[in-house]
């Protein structure tokens, strides 16, 4: 049957780049999983002997250690270097930017506000670049601002790359009303939303939609829910084994999209199978 | 009858300060009218011989010239000094702030955006402090942004002191979505809105409301319209002569507020007359 891929799907620029970097360092290890996809982690291990460290204490001298797209806290990077590891930095450039902004702005005596999830590795990394970490604050919504005491009335703000702009603006607006100067850095990356916009468009024109990605992946679940708004026959699968051919019965055009952690080779398997139905 | 004044009314801090400064300089002249109220201008002339210049060409050497709250363009100030006039600066400190911000930010290679009325003297003054006036842009609403080509992707923004915060946020939000960095300085002064908020509250609890101010003054007309929302017997007068005692018939509590250009002595005349009804 006919298949149409979303105009944007799957890996973002930063993840594609990090995987390419990892493929160039045989026998290295990534510091934390490079991607939320076990199949891809297995492929890197099998094809390139790229292993996985879950803790700094796993690292031995002369190890080649790859920093993943999220980046790592400043002190962890220092510790890696002190251990005499060879550090390969695959931090996404869009994550390096807020790290450097937080460093510079806190040196210039701005209070720092990060819009994001305090427990997310990207945010932990960005936060660590503040000069005075007591004055680097993390919020998820504007109501969270109430609990914060900023040291200065000059605030610099950055956002976790995958956050929604609308909520960032709500937070920033609340700050502008209460502070002399708010220095707003737009560090949100469009990639996530490009996949969503493309899924929304495609799901309007097809009669069945397959979303490929982890069932626990929040961005994949969001893609699925967007598709369901326009196409009730939208199905979420993790891999080709989960594809049920009966879904395609009496359909003419199948749309396909994939979450940000879904490798191309998994998507290609699904595309080929459906094309041959 | 009983009279209750709004908790905030009449002159703002900057105007009170400018008048006090003018009273300290007998035989001086203000550069443009100090206030939009002919009675007050007459009083300054009669009691302190403070005159009025409408153009720089009126100024003679050794003249004492008072800069009004709005400030003046940088080059006009230079010209005054070149004419060997004694310059007394009564620019409102809340207006000096955006002037200095525009100067500093344009020196640091930010494109400048001013939210305000291009033809207002305050905005003309603030704008003149830009290093490169071609890259200092003035808008009244977010739609005005479409016609602008900023030189840089780093924008610094200030607002005319009397503008509405809600519209400033709309403009700033549009900029944040399209630029790497937006440095938002909150230069809006609360005084106008304090008078409005106080008029709103007071008009809810009285049975007749008198608004004192110029019939052409936009802030006075706005006070009147706010009062009418809550109290249908709300009347706008310019001075005591316009007060119609019949308005107070069968009323028990009269609320009073005044526009930002209404001097206290005019308000006091009205208060005394109504108290004695």
């Amino acid at each position: 049957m006919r298949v149409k891929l979303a105009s944007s799907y799957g890996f973002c620029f930063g993840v594609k780049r990090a995987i390419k970097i990892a493929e160039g360092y045989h026998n290295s290890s990534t510091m934390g999983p490079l991607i939320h996809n076990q199949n891809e982690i297995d492929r890197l291990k099998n094809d390139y002997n790229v292993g996985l460290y879950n803790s700094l204490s796993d690292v031995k001298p002369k190890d080649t250690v790859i920093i993943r797209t999220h980046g790592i806290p400043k002190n962890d990077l220092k510790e890696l270097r002190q251990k005499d590891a060879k550090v390969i930095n695959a931090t996404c450039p869009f994550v390096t930017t807020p790290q450097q902004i937080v460093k510079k702005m806190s040196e210039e005596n701005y209070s720092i506000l990060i819009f994001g999830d305090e427990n997310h590795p990207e945010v932990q990394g960005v936060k660590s670049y503040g000069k005075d970490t007591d004055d680097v604050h993390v919020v998820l919504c504007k109501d969270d601002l109430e609990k914060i005491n900023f040291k200065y009335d000059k605030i610099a703000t950055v956002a976790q790359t995958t956050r929604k702009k609308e909520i960032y603006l709500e937070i920033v607006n609340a700050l502008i009303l209460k502070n002399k100067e708010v220095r707003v850095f737009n560090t949100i990356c469009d990639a996530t939303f490009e996949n969503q916009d493309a899924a929304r468009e495609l799901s309007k024109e097809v009669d069945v939609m397959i979303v490929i990605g982890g069932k626990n992946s929040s961005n994949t679940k969001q893609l699925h829910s967007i598709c369901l708004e326009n196409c009730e026959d939208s199905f979420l699968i993790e891999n080709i084994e989960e594809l049920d051919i009966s879904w395609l019965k009496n359909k003419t055009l199948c749309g396909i999209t994939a979450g940000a952690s879904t490798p191309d080779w998994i998507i290609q398997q699904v595309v080929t199978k459906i094309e041959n139905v």
Side-chain angles (χ1 to χ4, degrees), chain A:
Chain A
M1 75 179 294
R2 276 208 302 144
V3 164
K4 188 169 180 182
L5 275 159
S7 62
S8 174
Y9 61 89
F11 288 174
C12 65
F13 157 79
V15 167
K16 279 183 193 153
R17 177 177 169 273
I19 287 172
K20 205 160 184 171
I21 290 173
E23 288 174 354
Y25 289 93
H26 289 241
N27 312 316
S28 63
S29 296
T30 62
M31 197 66 241
L34 198 65
I35 181 171
H36 293 294
N37 184 295
Q38 192 57 47
N39 296 115
E40 183 67 1
I41 290 172
D42 292 346
R43 187 188 69 88
L44 287 170
K45 180 69 186 168
N46 295 334
D47 295 1
Y48 301 91
N49 195 29
V50 173
L52 169 61
Y53 284 152
N54 281 311
S55 155
L56 285 176
S57 58
D58 296 340
V59 178
K60 296 172 292 296
K62 309 296 175 194
D63 273 356
T64 297
V65 178
I66 298 171
I67 311 291
R68 59 185 174 172
T69 54
H70 299 324
I72 55 169
K74 196 173 64 171
N75 286 339
D76 289 3
L77 185 61
K78 202 168 152 190
E79 195 177 328
L80 277 178
R81 292 199 167 120
Q82 280 168 346
K83 278 174 174 266
D84 202 22
K86 179 176 177 183
V87 178
I88 307 302
N89 198 344
T91 304
C92 175
F94 297 136
V95 174
T96 308
T97 299
Q99 289 175 348
Q100 295 307 310
I101 290 168
V102 167
K103 180 172 186 291
K104 186 161 182 282
M105 289 301 100
S106 68
E107 279 165 1
E108 292 184 20
N109 293 330
Y110 284 79
S111 291
I112 307 292
L113 186 98
I114 303 171
F115 165 40
D117 174 359
E118 178 117 45
N119 299 313
H120 192 284
E122 176 188 325
V123 172
Q124 290 176 338
V126 171
K127 186 177 177 179
S128 73
Y129 281 83
K131 184 182 68 173
D132 170 7
T133 47
D134 284 349
D135 201 30
V136 180
H137 311 272
V138 183
V139 298
L140 270 170
C141 63
K142 79 168 168 17
D143 293 343
D144 288 349
L145 292 172
E146 283 166 27
K147 63 181 183 201
I148 297 179
N149 286 316
F150 292 108
K151 193 167 166 189
Y152 305 105
D153 57 3
K154 290 161 52 186
I155 320 284
T157 72
V158 296
Q160 190 182 346
T161 50
T162 49
R163 291 282 148 186
K164 283 194 182 150
K165 288 174 183 176
E166 294 74 16
I167 300 175
Y168 191 34
L169 293 180
E170 281 179 16
I171 293 164
V172 161
N173 288 350
L175 287 174
I176 291 169
L177 293 177
K178 289 199 172 171
N179 294 277
K180 273 195 185 167
E181 181 188 348
V182 183
R183 206 161 164 174
V184 185
F185 295 87
N186 185 353
T187 54
I188 293 176
C189 179
D190 286 327
T192 311
F193 309 104
E194 281 168 5
N195 283 4
Q196 288 178 5
D197 291 345
R200 188 173 292 111
E201 284 317 299
L202 182 58
S203 59
K204 285 175 187 165
E205 57 171 298
V206 300
D207 47 9
V208 56
M209 188 84 203
I210 306 294
V211 181
I212 314 167
K215 293 212 170 79
N216 294 319
S217 148
S218 76
N219 91 78
T220 304
K221 282 188 284 185
Q222 203 156 2
L223 283 179
H224 186 210
S225 117
I226 287 169
C227 292
L228 278 170
E229 283 170 23
N230 302 304
C231 174
E232 58 178 350
D233 290 316
S234 294
F235 303 95
L236 170 55
I237 61 172
E238 294 214 349
N239 50 46
I240 194 164
E241 283 74 33
E242 294 185 8
L243 180 70
D244 183 343
I245 297 298
S246 72
W247 299 331
L248 310 173
K249 207 174 165 185
N250 300 326
K251 307 292 184 189
T252 54
L253 180 58
C254 175
I256 294 186
T257 184
S261 300
T262 309
D264 265 345
W265 55 272
I266 291 183
I267 301 166
Q268 202 46 56
Q269 287 177 343
V270 175
V271 169
T272 306
K273 182 156 182 186
I274 296 177
E275 277 176 341
N276 291 322
V277 165

